[in-house]
Structure formats: structure tokens, C-alpha cells
Amino acid sequence: MKKAEGSNQGGGNGTWMCPTQLGQESMLVMEGSGRLDEKSLSNGDVYIGEIKGILPHGKGKYTWLDGTVYEGDWEDGKMTGKGLIVWPSGAKYEGEFSGNYRHGYGTFTTSSGSVYRGSWRMNAQHGIGRKEYSNSDIYEGLWKEGVHEGSGRYSWSGGNTYIGNWKRGKIDGRGVMRWGNGDIFDGFWSNGLRHGSGVYRFAEGGLYIGTWSRGLKDGKGTFFPAGCKHPSLKKWCSSLSNDDDGSNLNSEEHRPPKSKVKRSLSEKVSVSGSLRNSHHISHRTSSLDSSWTRHPPPQECICDDYSRRLPLTSDGGHSEDPDKITWVYEREYMQGVLIMEKTRKYSEVSRKNKWQNKFGVQQVKPSSCVDIFGGSRSYYLKLNLQLGIRYTVGKITPVPAREVRSSDFGDRARIRMYFPKEGSQFTPPHKSIDFYWKDYCPMVFRNLREMFKLDAAEYMMSICGDSGLRDITSPGKSGSIFYLSQDDRFVIKTLKKSELKVLLQMLPKYYSHVGEYENTLITKFFGLHRIMLRGGKKVRFVVMGNMFCTELHIHRRYDLKGSSQGRFTSKDKIKENTTLKDLDLKYEFHMDKKLRESLLHQIKVDCGFLESQQIIDYSLLLGLHFRAPENLKALAEQPESLTSGNDALKQGEQLILPKGLLLVAHEPSFVNTAPGPHIRGNTLRAYSIGDKEVDLLLPGTGRLRVQLGVNMPAQANRKLVEDKVEASEIELFEVYDVVLYMGIIDILQQYNLRKKAEHAYKSLQFDPVTISVVEPKLYAERFINFLETKVFPETP
């Protein structure tokens, strides 16, 4: 019999070809005395052991012609039970087998000296295991199909240690990296690189709290120099742990436990990324204490900042008298390049507003919608929402597709269901509280989802999957609750009763409008629902597309109405993710002639529709992704080449200008077509390359399809303002390359009697042209004029 050589000695997915029967001419004879005879097979293999009929069964030893030897248990001709197999190369496995596979618990030693002890499934490391590599690196934690997956600890022989989450063999999720030099990063990772919010402390004592993208600082952050008083990080770390665990909202029993690794168990992981100043992870790996839990304790929340060598501050690890150091530095980066810095006294930086809420510790405003569930029990609100959506989508999807009828918009077009806690004939048991569910116009929204090219199964899994929903802070004054799906595709918002009525009233015209205009910028609605508790309290929800669903980091968010009265944000309230207003906008955006024409044309069409529905108070939600100039990125990689002082900043401002974003002819096979809220819509044409459909090339990121409101390239020029800039604030550039994301939101406010009264009252106090509340025709004209002349002016 032949055996497939175990070339995948690290525990791959190869299978063994072992004897399933022995021919009559080579059958082993086992006499009553229990004596075993040796018998050679016709292909040169040899088996010695017990048989059952003509199959190996019981204890036995099989030797292949190439020298591979297995000795152990057999069952019906297959290696099953405990055994030892040794390859000619010197590699060996001792442990449990099942059906010719390494399956169960066992120890695998490679010819190079690496040793893995732990769980196996179908020849692959799977479960809890520990691997010590031949170079003395150690990984201990969870495995899946031969690679690191889940919680684990990797120790490099050079002294670096990582404790945290893994995905497909790479560092991914929340985790703590401690470098051999004493620097520590505690935060989020993606594909082996720091990505998201985090805290970085370097050994000399400096502390940086901020955000990263693809391993580089990207966005706003605060730097506390060595010797300066540092904020307490316990609450930050605790909140980070809670936000990261992706709780399964379908059952309390499925909430991620603080699992502990109970035995010593290991495999080699290739972690992508270069070792630049110890910021990326090498192709090596750490050892796990038996008491290690999934989320590191708050006291391990620590970090480094190679930008300490930049000219603006004394970031470096120089110990100074704490009584003399009172300054902290609020910074902003673009792909690792420092673009702005404000110097502040520590006493001016509110620990609550400036660091706790700044990076992921979000405090949702109190709302009557959440109060009905009582504090932390808002968990039940999300659970009820998921249960209801799963039920509705499952019920409406099998219905044969057809065009909507007028009756589909009527009062009878509803799906109602009662969800008792113990379950019923139509609903599953759940861990929430009893509630009544109502789904509005299910056939209409089913057709809208199909119109927007959303697959029903993916839509349901995105919202109702085990990862759950995330709370996000409300950007407005409405007091609404906002949830974000775990994959960032969908936003769920609570509605007032009046808003629900407006949406149902305008739904037939909305359906026609979005059907006619594929590139509409108006909010995409995917579902409208209501939850009612036994006491009669009701919560209404609408599911919308997330306009900022992108892999790029959104550095600025603006809510633009075209009015000026009260349209600014107090500086002490501006945080990393604050949505700014009209008077806060310091830039005007210049773009390709054809792109601008397409954008303004659609804005006018959409405003015409909203005017016809007597809608006001809508706004353009605008997101900016800044791109660092390619020739400036070298400065981020070699910060020591910079000199200190403001003269260097001025010199950089004069010499370093954006190169411009590169537009190329559209190639469908080269761009990402993953399903999501942006999948519908034409690829735009650009005047600059001959009126052809275009893609946007971003060095180091990828190739993006340019659509209306999605991946739109522009150049942001700082406006000339008379206001004096604070002496403590330095911005390095006047012109930036940006990628724009936008859409028209808040379209459910009609110009009713209450709004007319508000207009009359405010007109007595302020210039009527400057206030937000005006009649629909004037509102649309002012909105369009503001965007056309102030935000997206024609390029000279």
C-alpha cells in the first residue's frame, strides 16, 4: 500500500493513503496464541499487527517502502486511536488519529526542530495549541485550519511580544504589542498592521493616543511628552475591550467569554509588513501564561511614538521635571505625515472630552427610546431589532418577485408578529423581553434592496449576524439612537412618529425617484420597522446605507445646509469624529470639470424632488479623506532628517505640494466590487482623460471606482479668512489632495405649521436669509447656490 508523503509537516491538509484491506496473498496470520506474523505486501510495504477479516484492526505497525513508519491503533483498516508516525526526514507525530487523519490531541515535531503540541482536526492544527519554532519564537493560543485564529500570544526570540486577536494567521483585532525596547502599543490591528484607535507609550515615558491606518498614524491624536502628567487609561482600555468583543446579540450565552488557555500548546505565521522603526511586525512570533485572558487588563494599556523626532516638540524620551512640563500636543496626521499641531496646557485638555471620548469610548446621549429598556438593557433593543429583521427578511424573500402595486404602500401593507421570550410556533426563543414587531411596506423595501443590488442573505447577516450592532454617537440634536452594522455597511436610526409619517407619505414618490436616478445622492432606505413592548411603548427604526462605508479613513465630516446662523461648532466640543458645520468648513474643493457637472446636476435633481415633497432642513453630509503628498511621505519614514523650528515648517510649506490624484480609464476587473451600499450607481466620466469612465489610483491603497458621492477625487484649497490663527496652532499646507464621500441626509422634515412658526419667530431676531428654517423653494435655491459657489466652485 502507498502513503502520501507528509510534505505538509507543519500540519497541512494532506491525507494519508493507508491500507484499507490486505490482499489474500499478503494476509497476516494471527494464531490463537496471539502471536503476530509479519507479512510483506506486493508493493514492498510491511504490516505487523492484528487484523479483523482482511483489514488491520487493533494494534499494528505499518512500514512504507520509503521508510515511513506508523505504529499504533487501527480500526477497520484506518489509523484511528493513538499512535506514532515517523517520516524519513526525521519529522514525527505522536498523538490521536481518526480515519487516517491527525485528529484530536497530539505533538508534531518537524525535521527542522519546530514542535507543536495541541489540538488537531483533519491533519491541521485546530483549537488550542502551542508551537515553538526552530528559531525559538513561540505561539500559544487558538488555531483554525492550520493558522492562528482567535486569541493568542506570540513571543519573538528577539524580545517582542504580542497578546491579542488573530485572523487568518495575522494579527487582527484588539491586541497589545510590547517591543523589546520597552515600547508598547495597545489598540486595534488589521492584517498585521495597526489600524484603528490605540494608545502608544514608549519606554522613555511619552504617550500618544490616536488613530492609525495601515500601520501609520492617520487622523487626530494627542501626545503627552515624557515627564508630563498622563491621563488614566483604565476607563479607555475597559471600554475598548467591551467595544471590541463583537458580542453576539442573539443569545446571552454566546457573549464572548474571557477564555483562558489551559494547556501549553504552536505554528509559524507570516505577518506582513516591514520592520520600520519597530512599527510593523516581523515574520516571527510569543508565550502565553496559563492565566492569560482574551482582553489584556487595563494596566497593560501602554505605547510609543516615533514622531518624537519631528521638529515641533520634544517628544523624545528626555526626563524633565514634571513641575516644569505643562504642555501637550494635539496633532493630526495623514498617512504618517504630520500636517497640524496645536500646543495646549495640560490643564486645558479635558480628560473626559479630549481623550476618553476621542477614540472609541462613545457615550450615547440619553434618549426616551433607550430609557424604556432601562440603562444597560439597551442591549435588548438591538437584539429585538435583529430578531425582527431576520424574521421579516426570511418571510418576504421567498415571495416571487414582482413590481410594486399601490396597495404595497397602503396601511394594510404591514407584517406583524409577537415575539414571546419562550418562543412560539413562528418565532424562536430568545434572551430578550417580550415584544411586538411591525414591518412597514415589506414588498416595497424588498424591491428597494434589490434595486440597490443588495443580496437578502448578506443584508440579513450584516445586521443580524453574530458580530452584532455597534452604538455610534448621534451627530445631531435629535436625540436619536444610531447603530452601525459590524461591517460598516448599514446605519440604523430611531425615528420620531412624525418622521415615520413623512417617510410613509413620500415613499411612493421616493421609490420612483431612486428608480429613475441611479446616481441619486439622497439617503438610501432599506427597511422601516417598529418595536412595541407590552406596556405600549414604541420605538421606530429605519435602516439606511452608510455613506462612509469605505476602507479609507475619514479625516473630516461636515454637515452642510447652506445657512449661517448658528452653523459652527465650539472648539472645545470638536473631537476626532465630530461632524462639523458650514462655518467650520475651511476648504473649497476643485475637481475635474465633468465630475463637477455630474455632481451639481444630481444635487439639483434631488433638491427638486425634496422641494416637491415640501422637505426642508436636509443637508449634504460630506466626508474628507486627505492624502499625503507622495514626495512628502519620505519625511514620515525618515523623520530624523527634519530640523526643528518654525522655519523648517515654512520651508516645507513652500517646497512640498500635492502631486495630484491619478485618474485612469475604468477597468471593472481591477476594482473592488464587494456588495454594499455603494454597489449601485454608474462609473463617472472625467473630462481630463477624454470623457472616459474612470478609476482612482491611490498609491499603497488600491484602485477605486469613481461614482457620484463615492471615491470622488478633488483638491482642497484652504480659504483665506480674516480670523487670526492661534499662535499655538500650526498647519503645514494650504492645498491637499482629498477623496470625497457625500450624500443628502435628514430628508424627513416637512415645512409644516410648526416650522412656519419657527421661521416667523427667528426672522424677527436674525436675517431671514441666514436662518436654517425657510420655505422649501428658497431652501433648495440657497442650498444649491452654497454648494455651487462656496463648496465646489468652478476651477478658474
Side-chain angles (χ1 to χ4, degrees):
M1 300 300 293
K2 294 184 179 180
K3 167 216 43 87
E5 172 61 31
S7 59
N8 56 332
Q9 293 176 358
N13 294 322
T15 59
W16 308 111
M17 296 176 59
C18 297
T20 55
Q21 75 175 48
L22 304 175
Q24 293 292 331
E25 75 284 355
S26 61
M27 185 180 299
L28 302 178
V29 178
M30 178 176 156
E31 299 182 356
S33 61
R35 181 173 60 88
L36 302 178
D37 287 346
E38 176 180 336
K39 200 71 174 180
S40 297
L41 281 70
S42 58
N43 62 358
D45 295 349
V46 176
Y47 176 78
I48 304 175
E50 302 173 0
I51 63 172
K52 180 181 179 181
I54 59 173
L55 299 176
H57 189 88
K59 299 290 185 181
K61 179 179 180 180
Y62 194 101
T63 304
W64 283 264
L65 181 62
D66 65 359
T68 302
V69 178
Y70 170 78
E71 185 171 4
D73 297 330
W74 296 81
E75 185 175 313
D76 296 328
K78 295 183 179 180
M79 296 182 290
T80 301
K82 294 184 178 180
L84 169 67
I85 186 167
V86 181
W87 287 270
S89 64
K92 64 180 181 179
Y93 171 80
E94 183 174 8
E96 297 172 340
F97 291 81
S98 179
N100 289 340
Y101 291 96
R102 285 162 280 172
H103 193 90
Y105 184 86
T107 300
F108 186 91
T109 304
T110 68
S111 56
S112 62
S114 296
V115 179
Y116 170 84
R117 294 183 181 90
S119 299
W120 295 79
R121 188 176 75 175
M122 303 287 286
N123 279 354
Q125 295 102 321
H126 193 94
I128 298 177
R130 181 183 192 274
K131 182 168 184 177
E132 183 172 351
Y133 297 89
S134 55
N135 64 355
S136 298
D137 291 352
I138 299 174
Y139 173 79
E140 186 168 7
L142 297 175
W143 300 72
K144 183 178 180 180
E145 297 178 356
V147 297
H148 310 155
E149 182 90 16
S151 303
R153 170 169 176 158
Y154 199 110
S155 298
W156 286 261
S157 58
N160 297 344
T161 301
Y162 171 80
I163 302 176
N165 293 322
W166 298 76
K167 187 175 182 180
R168 291 189 290 272
K170 295 183 179 180
I171 293 176
D172 199 292
R174 171 74 189 299
V176 177
M177 172 70 78
R178 183 189 297 268
W179 283 272
N181 64 359
D183 297 346
I184 302 176
F185 173 79
D186 183 352
F188 289 98
W189 303 74
S190 178
N191 200 35
L193 300 173
R194 287 169 292 174
H195 191 87
S197 57
V199 179
Y200 202 113
R201 187 193 302 259
F202 45 93
E204 298 90 334
L207 178 72
Y208 181 80
I209 304 176
T211 56
W212 280 257
S213 180
R214 298 173 182 266
L216 299 173
K217 294 189 188 74
D218 201 11
K220 293 183 178 181
T222 303
F223 180 76
F224 300 83
C228 175
K229 182 179 179 181
H230 292 170
S232 169
L233 301 177
K234 288 186 177 181
K235 291 183 179 179
W236 187 90
C237 293
S238 175
S239 233
L240 194 62
S241 297
N242 294 334
D243 289 345
D244 176 54
D245 62 18
S247 300
N248 176 5
L249 295 177
N250 299 319
S251 170
E252 290 179 346
E253 292 147 351
H254 288 86
R255 293 181 184 178
K258 294 183 177 179
S259 56
K260 296 185 178 181
V261 176
K262 297 181 180 179
R263 342 182 225 191
S264 261
L265 303 175
S266 322
E267 143 134 89
K268 191 165 188 177
V269 172
S270 176
V271 181
S272 66
S274 60
L275 272 174
R276 190 164 59 232
N277 294 321
S278 298
H279 277 228
H280 293 192
I281 303 164
S282 71
H283 295 269
R284 301 171 297 169
T285 53
S286 166
S287 173
L288 195 60
D289 298 333
S290 60
S291 61
W292 171 78
T293 58
R294 173 174 180 175
H295 295 301
Q299 58 267 29
E300 289 200 56
C301 193
I302 334 179
C303 320
D304 166 70
D305 181 25
Y306 71 77
S307 68
R308 58 184 180 274
R309 288 171 285 180
L310 286 172
L312 298 177
T313 73
S314 58
D315 285 12
H318 302 294
S319 297
E320 300 182 41
D321 184 355
D323 296 330
K324 296 180 180 180
I325 299 181
T326 59
W327 301 102
V328 298
Y329 304 91
E330 294 177 354
R331 295 175 169 178
E332 185 168 7
Y333 290 86
M334 290 190 307
Q335 297 92 54
V337 176
L338 181 65
I339 64 168
M340 183 184 294
E341 179 172 273
K342 295 179 183 178
T343 305
R344 292 275 191 257
K345 289 184 178 180
Y346 180 84
S347 58
E348 296 176 356
V349 181
S350 167
R351 278 175 285 182
K352 182 177 181 180
N353 294 329
K354 290 295 183 181
W355 64 267
Q356 181 178 344
N357 289 335
K358 204 165 193 177
F359 305 104
V361 183
Q362 299 170 340
Q363 296 181 346
V364 180
K365 297 178 181 179
S367 165
S368 59
C369 298
V370 107
D371 288 344
I372 67 175
F373 289 88
S376 62
R377 296 182 70 196
S378 62
Y379 160 83
Y380 296 134
L381 188 61
K382 292 185 278 188
L383 173 55
N384 293 353
L385 184 62
Q386 290 181 306
L387 289 167
I389 290 178
R390 183 185 291 121
Y391 174 82
T392 294
V393 175
K395 186 176 180 64
I396 197 67
T397 300
V399 176
R402 61 170 176 81
E403 291 295 323
V404 296
R405 307 163 183 158
S406 58
S407 59
D408 293 324
F409 297 95
D411 293 338
R412 297 175 62 87
R414 308 287 189 265
I415 291 178
R416 297 175 174 85
M417 182 53 60
Y418 175 55
F419 284 78
K421 187 173 183 179
E422 64 275 7
S424 68
Q425 181 182 354
F426 305 103
T427 63
H430 56 84
K431 298 295 182 180
S432 183
I433 53 182
D434 299 349
F435 69 98
Y436 294 88
W437 173 261
K438 179 188 283 189
D439 186 73
Y440 296 89
C441 306
M443 182 58 72
V444 175
F445 284 103
R446 170 210 160 135
N447 282 19
L448 281 173
R449 291 192 293 269
E450 292 178 353
M451 186 187 299
F452 292 125
K453 301 183 180 180
L454 292 179
D455 178 77
E458 291 179 348
Y459 174 75
M460 186 166 61
M461 288 305 300
S462 177
I463 297 175
C464 307
D466 290 347
S467 296
L469 300 171
R470 290 181 284 152
D471 298 88
I472 56 177
T473 305
S474 170
K477 301 178 181 179
S478 65
S480 297
I481 300 173
F482 287 81
Y483 298 130
L484 187 65
S485 64
Q486 200 65 26
D487 57 10
D488 292 342
R489 294 184 189 177
F490 306 104
V491 174
I492 301 175
K493 175 188 176 183
T494 57
L495 295 180
K496 300 175 183 176
K497 185 177 181 179
S498 60
E499 293 174 322
L500 173 70
K501 289 182 176 180
V502 171
L503 180 52
L504 290 174
Q505 178 183 327
M506 70 184 293
L507 191 57
K509 296 294 185 183
Y510 172 87
Y511 185 88
S512 299
H513 181 79
V514 299
E516 182 178 356
Y517 297 100
E518 189 174 16
N519 295 323
T520 181
L521 293 170
I522 289 178
T523 303
K524 299 177 176 67
F525 294 124
F526 302 128
L528 186 59
H529 318 288
R530 190 193 74 184
I531 291 172
M532 183 174 73
L533 304 184
R534 278 187 169 181
K537 295 179 179 178
K538 302 172 183 177
V539 187
R540 303 161 186 88
F541 294 92
V542 64
V543 182
M544 307 176 289
N546 179 14
M547 293 175 183
F548 297 155
C549 180
T550 172
E551 61 183 293
L552 303 181
H553 179 72
I554 301 298
H555 297 93
R556 293 281 194 284
R557 296 166 171 81
Y558 292 93
D559 182 273
L560 306 175
K561 293 180 180 289
S563 58
S564 57
Q565 185 60 45
R567 299 294 295 166
F568 65 92
T569 308
S570 300
K571 290 187 177 181
D572 60 346
K573 294 183 179 180
I574 297 178
K575 305 178 182 68
E576 167 71 8
N577 295 320
T578 299
T579 301
L580 305 174
K581 300 178 183 178
D582 302 61
L583 298 181
D584 301 318
L585 184 63
K586 299 184 294 184
Y587 309 98
E588 56 184 26
F589 305 97
H590 298 276
M591 60 178 66
D592 179 274
K593 176 181 177 181
K594 192 73 175 180
L595 298 183
R596 179 178 179 271
E597 288 177 357
S598 300
L599 175 63
L600 293 178
H601 170 73
Q602 189 61 52
I603 289 175
K604 292 175 183 178
V605 170
D606 289 337
C607 287
F609 163 73
L610 295 174
E611 181 186 339
S612 71
Q613 301 299 304
Q614 294 293 292
I615 301 297
I616 62 169
D617 263 358
Y618 51 86
S619 56
L620 184 79
L621 183 62
L622 177 65
L624 312 182
H625 170 76
F626 290 99
R627 298 298 296 180
E630 289 302 303
N631 55 340
L632 179 59
K633 289 184 178 178
L635 298 180
E637 298 176 4
Q638 300 175 353
E640 62 274 7
S641 64
L642 294 176
T643 58
S644 60
N646 292 338
D647 291 340
L649 302 181
K650 294 178 181 178
Q651 181 181 12
E653 184 176 319
Q654 296 168 359
L655 298 178
I656 302 170
L657 297 174
K659 283 186 173 181
L661 297 171
L662 182 59
L663 289 175
V664 296
H666 176 58
E667 291 287 348
S669 59
F670 292 160
V671 295
N672 181 20
T673 56
H678 304 320
I679 191 170
R680 182 181 185 243
N682 296 327
T683 303
L684 297 187
R685 298 177 180 273
Y687 177 81
S688 58
I689 64 168
D691 200 25
K692 296 179 181 178
E693 293 184 341
V694 292
D695 296 333
L696 174 63
L697 280 184
L698 296 179
T701 300
R703 183 170 182 153
L704 307 175
R705 183 164 70 109
V706 179
Q707 300 168 261
L708 206 63
V710 182
N711 303 325
M712 295 189 71
Q715 189 175 77
N717 295 345
R718 281 180 58 87
K719 297 178 182 178
L720 296 177
V721 294
E722 297 181 0
D723 297 340
K724 293 182 179 180
V725 179
E726 296 181 50
S728 61
E729 178 176 339
I730 302 174
E731 183 159 358
L732 302 185
F733 310 103
E734 298 294 329
V735 180
Y736 298 96
D737 287 328
V738 294
V739 183
L740 305 179
Y741 296 84
M742 69 189 81
I744 298 175
I745 64 169
D746 296 337
I747 63 170
L748 300 179
Q749 178 58 61
Q750 284 186 326
Y751 191 58
N752 52 26
L753 287 176
R754 184 175 63 83
K755 285 296 179 179
K756 290 178 182 178
E758 182 181 343
H759 169 74
Y761 175 73
K762 288 188 175 180
S763 295
L764 298 175
Q765 298 177 299
F766 310 105
D767 182 349
V769 179
T770 65
I771 62 177
S772 177
V773 182
V774 294
E775 59 93 14
K777 182 176 178 59
L778 177 58
Y779 192 97
E781 291 175 350
R782 184 182 64 187
F783 182 76
I784 294 170
N785 181 67
F786 173 70
L787 296 179
E788 191 171 11
T789 60
K790 303 296 184 182
V791 183
F792 307 111
E794 188 173 3
T795 303

